[in-house]
Amino acid sequence: MNIKDLQYYVSLTQLKNFSLVAAQFHVSQPTISAAIRRLETELKTQLLIRANPHLPVALTTTGIQVQRHANQILLEHQLMCQEVAHTTTDQLVIGMPPIIEINYFPRIASQLPQALFSQIQPISQGSLAALKGLKNGQLDLAVLAYLNEFTDTTIQLTTFDTQSFSIVVPTDDPLATYSQLQFRSLRHQHFVALKDNFVHRQAFRQLSHQNHVRPTIVFESNEIGSILNMVRQHVGIALLSNAVQLPAGLQRLPLTDAQAPTFNVGVAYRHSMTFSPTQADLIQRLTAAFQSVDWHAY
């Protein structure tokens, strides 16, 4: 079975049009038709309902089955190619949210040999994006955050820190006179927030749902520095993990909510990944360094 034929077929099931698939792959339309015929001959089944050629492509029952398996085969093919490429060069592509890159990684850097830094390729992205990149093979390793529990059985995760969430306000804000807050009391406040690919946004939605409130988000960003600056300029308040170091002019107010989410951080990789000895040593060193720190002492 030809991988390229499967790529053509999956694209056809998505675009529903032979001409569009041909244009996507820069080939002729007969090339796509021939690929589909090869699949049908090999599988001894009809994949497409051939009716009016001017209508979008429709799949037979077996066509739907093949689509599902073809997606998985192409994912495994992509994983194989990427894993082999990274293992051959003894490199690790590591996903790391900005909060972890700024507030965690520098604190362990001095424990790591200088040679290690030339063997890792960090990718800065939110935890949800990092988890997706880990699962589709774009990343070999991720240092990511999650809320409460981690249940993905395809991922090996070693947790090294758990922090609470707090409300961050300017020191001269009227809220700063409080020692603690319940999230419900903030229903009329304006918030600035990290975007949807961060677990902070998940925590915001969870607290909003639990308290049956919908606070207004007036500004959102992928950059934690932008969020802190907007809070300092009184644009809005923020829900942030206690892992975030605050600059002068800002303060943290603990939440009293009984079921408030927690910000957990761990080192993660795919269970199915086979690492080279060099890669395995890098992971062991990184994990041990993260576990050696008392993060609540900072």
Side-chain angles (χ1 to χ4, degrees):
M1 188 171 291
N2 190 309
I3 288 293
K4 182 62 72 175
D5 288 351
L6 290 178
Q7 290 173 335
Y8 292 156
Y9 178 69
V10 168
S11 181
L12 184 61
T13 65
Q14 296 167 343
L15 298 177
K16 310 291 187 184
N17 182 283
F18 280 83
S19 296
L20 292 177
V21 176
Q24 180 185 32
F25 288 95
H26 306 290
V27 297
S28 66
Q29 186 169 323
T31 299
I32 306 301
S33 298
I36 303 305
R37 285 196 297 271
R38 280 194 296 271
L39 286 174
E40 291 182 323
T41 299
E42 181 171 354
L43 295 170
K44 299 180 176 61
T45 190
Q46 181 179 333
L47 301 176
L48 308 178
I49 298 172
R50 292 171 171 83
N52 189 332
H54 301 293
L55 294 177
V57 168
L59 306 182
T60 63
T61 299
T62 54
I64 295 171
Q65 292 173 332
V66 172
Q67 177 192 31
R68 184 176 70 251
H69 289 292
N71 278 319
Q72 191 61 40
I73 291 169
L74 292 178
L75 174 59
E76 288 297 326
H77 178 261
Q78 177 183 328
L79 286 172
M80 177 186 67
C81 293
Q82 291 172 332
E83 286 182 9
V84 169
H86 296 166
T87 301
T88 302
T89 58
D90 280 330
Q91 297 285 308
L92 280 177
V93 181
I94 303 178
M96 204 177 302
I99 289 173
I100 294 172
E101 190 174 2
I102 294 170
N103 296 284
Y104 284 90
F105 194 71
R107 300 180 193 174
I108 67 160
S110 61
Q111 300 182 40
L112 304 173
Q114 288 293 316
L116 180 145
F117 296 103
S118 65
Q119 294 175 293
I120 62 174
Q121 179 185 338
I123 306 292
S124 183
Q125 55 189 181
S127 288
L128 301 185
L131 179 59
K132 181 179 179 181
L134 195 62
K135 290 170 73 71
N136 66 24
Q138 293 176 338
L139 303 175
D140 304 312
L141 191 75
V143 186
L144 51 80
Y146 64 96
L147 301 182
N148 306 327
E149 291 185 72
F150 190 85
T151 58
D152 192 324
T153 57
T154 67
I155 301 297
Q156 173 65 45
L157 178 77
T158 301
T159 302
F160 60 81
D161 188 31
T162 297
Q163 298 280 350
S164 300
F165 284 93
S166 298
I167 301 300
V168 175
V169 301
T171 53
D172 59 351
D173 189 283
L175 289 174
T177 60
Y178 292 86
S179 60
Q180 55 188 15
L181 294 167
Q182 185 177 22
F183 193 80
R184 180 189 298 273
S185 68
L186 304 171
R187 59 188 177 277
H188 299 307
Q189 295 288 331
H190 287 173
F191 278 80
V192 294
L194 290 164
K195 291 187 176 181
D196 281 341
N197 54 331
F198 292 84
V199 298
H200 280 74
R201 195 59 166 268
Q202 283 186 322
F204 184 88
R205 283 195 292 266
Q206 181 177 322
L207 284 164
S208 298
H209 178 73
Q210 288 173 356
N211 288 278
H212 307 288
V213 296
R214 297 182 64 182
T216 301
I217 295 176
V218 295
F219 175 81
E220 58 182 5
S221 174
N222 285 319
E223 301 293 334
I224 186 63
S226 296
I227 298 298
L228 294 173
N229 286 334
M230 295 297 268
V231 175
R232 193 158 43 184
Q233 295 300 319
H234 296 270
V235 175
I237 62 176
L239 174 73
L240 293 175
S241 157
N242 289 353
V244 176
Q245 294 178 303
L246 300 185
L250 298 181
Q251 75 178 66
R252 238 185 285 275
L253 301 175
L255 287 170
T256 61
D257 296 67
Q259 296 182 329
T262 54
F263 181 86
N264 309 286
V265 191
V267 178
Y269 55 86
R270 294 183 302 282
H271 274 297
S272 61
M273 179 70 173
T274 300
F275 295 104
S276 72
T278 299
Q279 288 176 315
D281 180 64
L282 291 176
I283 293 171
Q284 190 278 327
R285 287 174 178 268
L286 282 168
T287 304
F290 279 118
Q291 291 179 312
S292 70
V293 176
D294 179 5
W295 298 103
H296 288 271
Y298 286 87

